[in-house]
Amino acid sequence: MKATTRLTLIASTLALTFAPALTACGTDAADAGAAPESAALGHVHGLALDAADERLYVATHHGLFTTGESGDPVRVGDRADDFMGFTVVGPKRFLASGHPAPGSGEPAHHGLIESTDAGKSWKTLSLGGEADFHALEHVHNTTYGYDSTKGMLRVSKDGKSWDDRARLQALDIAVSPNDPDTVLATTPDGIARSTDGGRTFRPGRKPAMAFLSWPAPDVLYGLDSRGGVHRSTDGGATWDKAGELPGAGSGVQALTAVDKRRVLAATADGVYESTDGAKSFAKLFDVDTGAGH
């Protein structure tokens, strides 16, 4: 059990969301059965599109997956690692964190790893064996990561040296597209806001969200623990409900807004896409909860 799972979770509307997301991170013997190269996805930790070809990539408990020729998900490369934080930085360039596959002999925490060939191979950039980033954002030529081993926001300009910032209990982070000092974090108390680059945060305020995604200065999306997708046009000061994510009764797992209208999200039931600003969703892939643990 990792450090994050030992944090005391206070009663809140996020309690059911935080617990599965935290305990899904593990590399013990119970995880020894890796998913096959082509299979229903297990627990989803991240969603992103490669800027090179708009291909969807899904970071999971048993590797990184993308769409195969048949339309079914296929694993990228030969690594069945537990990918936690995951983000696309540029064409075929990905950043991630997490844990190696069981039996690899590698340190338990990847730190920050980088791929420059769309996930086929990876190298360690920094903090190998030390950090486990459960959330990663790369904006303003800067990487923001929530390190679950320390319960801390960490920020880097080059992916190698890091500035340790505020300690807080968070599940996800989002950074304003037009202000590198405005950082939001989803906490059990609600959305916490920083206006100094994550050095300090004001206490969380309702509404409580599990995940956030900020694709444009005037559009911020939030996903609550019941599957409600919410939209803010003023940086999170006020919110309107945009729609409902199907299958959310099984638990929400990830959210990425590609732009103002295109939204990707995952539950324990499936990976979904909306092209109308979260008013409606279509299922892209099934998710098999049995394969995610």
Side-chain angles (χ1 to χ4, degrees):
M1 181 177 291
K2 294 179 173 57
T4 318
T5 60
R6 295 194 292 268
L7 293 171
T8 301
L9 304 180
I10 67 172
S12 72
T13 58
L14 285 184
L16 294 178
T17 299
F18 270 64
L22 300 176
T23 57
C25 172
T27 54
D28 58 24
D31 298 320
E37 291 184 0
S38 179
L41 302 175
H43 195 283
V44 175
H45 296 144
L47 301 163
L49 297 183
D50 184 358
D53 55 12
E54 295 295 300
R55 182 185 293 269
L56 171 64
Y57 286 83
V58 184
T60 82
H61 193 62
H62 285 302
L64 181 67
F65 286 76
T66 190
T67 306
E69 293 183 3
S70 67
D72 294 326
V74 294
R75 192 164 60 208
V76 180
D78 58 0
R79 295 180 68 143
D81 294 18
D82 180 8
F83 284 86
M84 296 298 298
F86 174 71
T87 189
V88 170
V89 177
K92 297 188 178 183
R93 184 184 172 210
F94 304 166
L95 296 177
S97 191
H99 316 284
S104 69
E106 298 179 29
H109 305 308
H110 274 324
L112 186 71
I113 57 177
E114 177 188 43
S115 173
T116 56
D117 57 8
K120 296 181 180 65
S121 64
W122 296 85
K123 67 177 181 180
T124 300
L125 284 182
S126 59
L127 300 176
E130 299 177 32
D132 174 19
F133 292 107
H134 277 200
L136 285 170
E137 293 283 333
H138 188 83
V139 287
H140 310 296
N141 294 315
T142 302
T143 300
Y144 300 74
Y146 179 74
D147 181 4
S148 71
T149 64
K150 296 182 178 297
M152 175 189 292
L153 182 73
R154 309 179 82 168
V155 178
S156 176
K157 282 289 187 181
D158 59 6
K160 297 177 181 179
S161 59
W162 293 84
D163 183 16
D164 293 347
R165 300 192 177 174
R167 290 183 180 271
L168 74 167
Q169 183 182 346
L171 181 59
D172 197 18
I173 58 174
V175 182
S176 167
N178 64 350
D179 180 6
D181 284 335
T182 298
V183 184
L184 305 181
T186 60
T187 77
D189 292 321
I191 300 171
R193 178 182 296 271
S194 172
T195 56
D196 57 9
R199 294 172 179 83
T200 61
F201 281 84
R202 293 197 292 268
R205 297 180 58 184
K206 305 299 181 184
M209 300 289 176
F211 300 102
L212 298 170
S213 189
W214 208 336
D218 59 344
V219 177
L220 167 66
Y221 282 96
L223 176 62
D224 69 34
S225 61
R226 297 179 180 273
V229 184
H230 305 262
R231 178 179 170 124
S232 174
T233 59
D234 54 13
T238 60
W239 294 85
D240 293 311
K241 189 170 183 180
E244 195 78 24
L245 185 61
S250 58
V252 297
Q253 297 185 346
L255 173 72
T256 296
V258 179
D259 54 36
K260 292 183 180 183
R261 297 184 60 79
R262 189 175 182 188
V263 180
L264 303 168
T267 70
D269 166 76
V271 175
Y272 294 87
E273 179 184 38
S274 173
T275 57
D276 58 8
K279 294 177 183 176
S280 62
F281 284 87
K283 182 183 278 190
L284 301 179
F285 299 135
D286 288 325
V287 169
D288 178 4
T289 55
H293 300 283

